[in-house]
Amino acid sequence: MALRSIYRGLKKNNLLSPLCNSCSHLHSHSTSFGYKEVREEEKSQMVGNVFTSVASSYDLMNDLMSGGLHRLWKERLVSKLNPFPGMKHLDVAGGTGDVAFRILESINNVGRRAMRDIHDDNVLDETQIFVCDINPNMLNVGKKRAQERGFGDDKSLVWVEGDAEALKFEDDSMDGYTIAFGIRNVTHIEKALAEAHRVLKRGGRFLCLELSHVELPIFKDLYDYYSFSVIPALGELVAGDRESYQYLVESVRRFPSQEKFAKMIAEAGFDKVEYENLVGGVVAIHSGLKF
Amino acid sequence: MYRSAARRILPAVCRRTGHFRSKASPVRFSAPIIHPAAFSAAAASENARNHKPNNFEASKISSSSNEGRKPRVTDRPKAHWQEEQARVLQASLRHVVRPFLPNLQFYYSKNDLLIGWDRLLNFIGQISLGWSDAAMIAGAREVGVSPSIVGSFPRKEAALVEFFMDDCLQRLIDIIDLKEDLTNLIPSNRVAKLVRIRLEMQAPYISKWPQALSIQAQPSNIATSFKQRAMLVDEIWHAAGDESTDIDWYVKRTVLGGIYSTTEIYMLTDTSPDFRDTWAFLDERVREAFDLKKTVQEQTWTHYLASYPERKQQYFAIYLHTTPVRHPLGLEVLRNRKPLNTNNRVSACHHRSVKKYHSSDWLQNITNLLEDAQDMQIFQAKYLAEAVGAGMGGSVQGFVNNLFKG
């Protein structure tokens, strides 16, 4: 696997690190890739490689790892968002389109149509859901799934390739911004948060669904055992890629805690920052308002 | 919304427990701390969903101080987003009963035939948005804020209803402060007038008020709506000049809560011009309640006395002659009581303090009796003391033996 050769290269670098770092410190910093320290420029490339290799079995692996719970989590995210017709929404790192499909279905819900104004219906055509992902393979999988679900011709869905740290959208143009299970893969989380703040309109909401820290005493140990023993083994069996899932589990541990992440969101300029723990902290939904 | 309600509770509680009316009693608490004690039910329901409202606005944390007896939401420095939310809700209220054009396209098939005729008629009946998130979305658009703010209200429609209730309470407080002619009326008229003023604020929304009531009755919302009604009732009684500190306080508020709710529901189906029938209904209920209050007080005391042997009925007689009778109906109740035989002791309604008068120490019994008589504020204890001193039925000792024999 290409991934294994990269790791070997990294190990060699680490042995020489005291000599190398003194000169390279001026130019780059190191960041975490799971439990390993890597150079920043390499992190996005390595993450890209991870997702290129898992793209085809991404959804299946999600189902297996979470026991199907990830669907409930995403539905909770969408209900918190409370989408409305005419909404301009941006789903970042939403490669395979799970969250975007749910939002679209919620807006087109028949039950809502009855109570609509004439004004509302004209506005319905203005609904736009942008799905942004840095990895084109994930976007392709998403487009295929859209076809299968019947959203293939829906003009509301727009697939965009882009980087969460440098979005190509205008200021104050989005009503909602979601990022589901994507923000821990970003190299500079603060930049992604700042971009989210820039792109949202006044009154827009930022929602982040992410695997987070469990503090409950016994459940924590069970969860750790499950994460480090079961998940990489599953990855090897189903996707043929143990390393990627090892990375996934480690990156969850390195991600800031709920409180710390909430502080980061507040520092980016969001108001009313709250978080909700699902399944005792395995997953947390952070939300913020822009004014 | 919830927090603004919590901020209003504190002065009401202070009023009840400490009579901090004329003094400035600053109470400081910062936004994240939710008021404990009596209203923790609402806090518990909030936390039950594992939801932690942690506000991390480092520079925007609002601390509030309540001074004196006039709580005002606007006095406290609110966080910017709370003001925006309040603006959105204020604008949404205008859309609750505003009629809008339904999209008839939904009811026409491709062949331009009208389908769903019954649905259409049903729909015309509800031709305004009502207390729904559609109204809130329209309100947000009006204010110029993205409608996704609606998702940030924890219980969307309930937030709108609760905001309206808070708003009406605030307007009632303002009216009370301005109107000085309330003191010219007798208490029952004061209460009736205040309830009427409050219900008139709901009149513009009466077509959609049943929906608001049903929203308030939902399990997740009932704690807050109960709290708001409790505050409202407390405010009305306070304005009517209520000074009670004992069990009366609870009785009064419960009774007024009942009157308010029944009048509110009566108003839903009242089609008379300007709700005249409702106000007549309200006046009837208030009058009945004020009559009932006096009768209950008399009855309680008579139950006290009913547990004593016949000898003590003589205190009863003293009471009749010496205490000024305050209500004709009460007097009827007393006068109509039949005198009891010594053998036929009326079974006591088991008042918890009956045991106080049955110890072996006669002096202690009389002392307890006198103390309780003073507490009841009806019986003039000195008259009892004089009666005992006059040696009814013989010498003091003989009297006392008779007293505690039966």
Side-chain angles (χ1 to χ4, degrees):
Chain A
M1 285 287 299
L3 223 47
R4 286 200 197 100
S5 60
I6 291 175
Y7 287 176
R8 273 191 228 114
L10 276 172
K11 277 182 204 155
K12 280 189 199 150
N13 275 344
N14 281 341
L15 288 172
L16 302 169
S17 55
L19 294 169
C20 279
N21 280 351
S22 54
C23 43
S24 62
H25 258 340
L26 294 169
H27 305 289
S28 71
H29 305 274
S30 69
T31 183
S32 66
F33 182 79
Y35 283 151
K36 303 169 189 56
E37 287 295 307
V38 304
R39 286 216 296 276
E40 280 179 348
E41 307 88 37
E42 293 176 4
K43 172 161 182 182
S44 49
Q45 193 198 351
M46 290 162 74
V47 169
N49 289 337
V50 164
F51 282 94
T52 307
S53 66
V54 307
S56 48
S57 53
Y58 185 70
D59 297 307
L60 173 63
M61 274 305 294
N62 277 348
D63 267 328
L64 281 173
M65 286 191 291
S66 65
L69 279 178
H70 72 108
R71 297 160 202 268
L72 292 177
W73 298 333
K74 285 167 185 159
E75 253 154 56
R76 176 90 190 120
L77 180 72
V78 171
S79 79
K80 268 199 118 153
L81 180 66
N82 197 43
F84 57 91
M87 186 179 199
K88 299 235 184 324
H89 184 77
L90 173 62
D91 183 28
V92 175
T96 51
D98 263 343
V99 172
F101 297 152
R102 283 185 170 82
I103 294 176
L104 211 49
E105 275 163 20
S106 159
I107 292 178
N108 291 337
N109 194 354
V110 175
R112 298 179 73 123
R113 284 222 301 256
M115 276 307 274
R116 278 209 196 124
D117 217 338
I118 278 188
H119 168 73
D120 259 353
D121 255 2
N122 293 339
V123 143
L124 183 62
D125 295 333
E126 293 176 9
T127 317
Q128 276 195 302
I129 314 225
F130 298 94
V131 183
C132 176
D133 201 293
I134 201 171
N135 194 307
N137 294 38
M138 295 286 275
L139 284 175
N140 289 337
V141 173
K143 283 179 195 160
K144 247 189 291 172
R145 291 178 74 214
Q147 282 291 111
E148 287 161 27
R149 289 205 185 191
F151 292 125
D153 299 327
D154 201 333
K155 301 219 179 49
S156 321
L157 261 183
V158 182
W159 304 87
V160 177
E161 190 176 330
D163 186 0
E165 296 177 19
L167 293 169
K168 296 199 189 74
F169 301 97
E170 290 164 9
D171 295 3
D172 296 328
S173 58
M174 296 293 165
D175 291 305
Y177 177 109
T178 49
I179 181 163
F181 302 119
I183 203 153
R184 68 174 189 283
N185 299 320
V186 163
T187 317
H188 298 108
I189 296 178
E190 299 85 3
K191 270 199 204 160
L193 293 175
E195 277 291 286
H197 192 263
R198 176 184 73 82
V199 161
L200 280 171
K201 279 186 207 172
R202 259 193 91 224
R205 283 185 86 206
F206 166 85
L207 284 164
C208 170
L209 173 68
E210 191 54 75
L211 294 164
S212 203
H213 294 249
V214 177
E215 303 300 334
L216 310 172
I218 303 172
F219 187 59
K220 185 176 174 14
D221 301 322
L222 280 173
Y223 179 59
D224 283 344
Y225 171 74
Y226 178 72
S227 300
F228 288 102
S229 312
V230 176
I231 289 185
L234 260 182
E236 195 168 14
L237 254 155
V238 177
D241 185 358
R242 192 192 184 90
E243 312 289 350
S244 303
Y245 288 94
Q246 188 71 29
Y247 155 72
L248 179 139
V249 169
E250 289 172 0
S251 67
V252 172
R253 295 296 180 287
R254 289 299 298 257
F255 191 71
S257 69
Q258 282 91 323
E259 302 271 337
K260 191 152 175 296
F261 186 50
K263 277 207 191 81
M264 288 167 74
I265 296 176
E267 276 161 21
F270 287 101
D271 288 328
K272 197 181 186 235
V273 180
E274 298 174 334
Y275 66 86
E276 181 187 354
N277 277 341
L278 304 173
V279 195
V282 172
V283 169
I285 300 182
H286 283 80
S287 63
L289 260 182
K290 173 180 171 178
F291 271 117
Chain B
M1 299 305 112
Y2 171 74
R3 245 167 239 121
S4 66
R7 286 196 196 114
R8 265 195 244 251
I9 292 165
L10 208 56
V13 171
C14 282
R15 231 183 275 136
R16 177 181 20 131
T17 54
H19 291 289
F20 291 127
R21 273 183 220 153
S22 46
K23 301 188 261 185
S25 57
V27 178
R28 289 188 180 278
F29 63 101
S30 59
I33 300 171
I34 298 178
H35 187 257
F39 302 102
S40 58
S45 69
E46 193 92 329
N47 286 328
R49 283 192 306 118
N50 225 1
H51 175 86
K52 286 193 200 181
N54 292 290
N55 290 336
F56 284 100
E57 317 132 55
S59 54
K60 300 158 197 154
I61 285 178
S62 50
S63 69
S64 56
S65 63
N66 299 331
E67 310 254 349
R69 65 186 287 253
K70 301 216 178 13
R72 293 237 192 273
V73 174
T74 46
D75 281 1
R76 305 179 195 105
K78 270 159 82 169
H80 178 51
W81 59 266
Q82 284 172 322
E83 284 170 7
E84 290 291 328
Q85 280 189 333
R87 273 179 65 211
V88 168
L89 289 173
Q90 187 71 51
S92 312
L93 282 178
R94 288 193 279 275
H95 289 268
V96 167
V97 277
R98 181 187 295 187
F100 76 106
L101 283 172
N103 185 11
L104 293 176
Q105 281 264 317
F106 182 58
Y107 297 92
Y108 281 86
S109 71
K110 282 182 187 159
N111 301 332
D112 269 5
L113 286 170
L114 190 63
I115 57 170
W117 181 243
D118 52 340
R119 268 194 299 179
L120 177 62
L121 287 178
N122 219 18
F123 188 63
I124 285 174
Q126 23 157 352
I127 212 151
S128 54
L129 291 170
W131 304 89
S132 64
D133 51 351
M136 293 167 79
I137 288 173
R141 285 214 173 97
E142 198 181 292
V143 173
V145 162
S146 165
S148 26
I149 196 176
V150 171
S152 72
F153 294 114
R155 289 157 293 130
K156 298 166 261 179
E157 301 93 22
L160 188 56
V161 176
E162 281 158 22
F163 175 80
F164 177 70
M165 296 284 281
D166 278 344
D167 193 43
C168 286
L169 180 59
Q170 191 58 63
R171 275 155 57 193
L172 183 68
I173 294 174
D174 290 339
I175 289 175
I176 290 170
D177 291 339
L178 289 172
K179 270 192 175 198
E180 292 309 320
D181 56 350
L182 280 176
T183 44
N184 299 338
L185 303 167
I186 58 177
S188 65
N189 281 4
R190 246 181 268 166
V191 167
K193 182 156 187 166
L194 286 168
V195 172
R196 175 175 173 161
I197 292 173
R198 173 59 182 80
L199 286 174
E200 274 169 352
M201 292 181 195
Q202 274 170 210
Y205 299 93
I206 202 75
S207 59
K208 289 290 174 183
W209 195 246
Q211 184 186 12
L213 285 177
S214 71
I215 289 173
Q216 286 188 320
Q218 285 166 11
S220 49
N221 304 326
I222 199 160
T224 333
S225 62
F226 178 75
K227 202 178 5 163
Q228 285 176 319
R229 280 164 191 275
M231 290 200 294
L232 170 67
V233 163
D234 185 47
E235 194 59 48
I236 293 180
W237 263 123
H238 181 66
D242 171 39
E243 303 255 337
S244 59
T245 53
D246 55 3
I247 192 132
D248 245 14
W249 191 91
Y250 295 94
V251 169
K252 281 180 174 163
R253 273 138 189 85
T254 315
V255 166
L256 184 59
I259 295 175
Y260 180 83
S261 300
T262 47
T263 317
E264 193 178 18
I265 292 174
Y266 188 97
M267 206 169 143
L268 294 177
T269 52
D270 186 14
T271 47
S272 63
D274 272 343
F275 299 106
R276 257 181 302 183
D277 292 345
T278 311
W279 312 135
F281 177 86
L282 172 64
D283 289 332
E284 263 301 307
R285 298 286 84 71
V286 169
R287 204 173 56 81
E288 271 176 16
F290 271 77
D291 288 351
L292 184 65
K293 186 181 76 153
K294 294 204 174 77
T295 315
V296 165
Q297 270 184 333
E298 310 290 338
Q299 284 283 10
T300 317
W301 185 232
T302 56
H303 276 195
Y304 262 125
L305 292 178
S307 61
Y308 295 93
E310 190 211 337
R311 177 68 72 173
K312 294 177 193 174
Q313 296 306 315
Q314 300 188 14
Y315 304 159
F316 197 75
I318 296 168
Y319 163 61
L320 272 185
H321 292 294
T322 57
T323 319
V325 172
R326 282 166 306 141
H327 195 279
L329 191 56
L331 184 59
E332 288 305 316
V333 168
L334 295 174
R335 287 272 161 79
N336 282 341
R337 285 184 48 80
K338 295 181 190 144
L340 301 169
N341 310 337
T342 329
N343 297 334
N344 179 22
R345 181 163 357 163
V346 173
S347 59
C349 67
H350 291 274
H351 198 276
R352 57 181 173 273
S353 51
V354 162
K355 292 208 177 64
K356 273 201 267 180
Y357 312 119
H358 288 272
S359 75
S360 48
D361 182 0
W362 66 270
L363 187 57
Q364 189 60 44
N365 288 331
I366 292 195
T367 317
N368 290 342
L369 180 62
L370 290 177
E371 280 169 27
D372 285 344
Q374 280 181 330
D375 286 339
M376 287 303 283
Q377 291 176 346
I378 295 175
F379 201 1
Q380 303 292 317
K382 60 177 180 177
Y383 292 114
L384 172 59
E386 281 176 15
V388 169
M392 293 167 54
S395 71
V396 175
Q397 225 164 0
F399 160 71
V400 161
N401 284 340
N402 272 340
L403 202 64
F404 295 106
K405 193 175 33 181

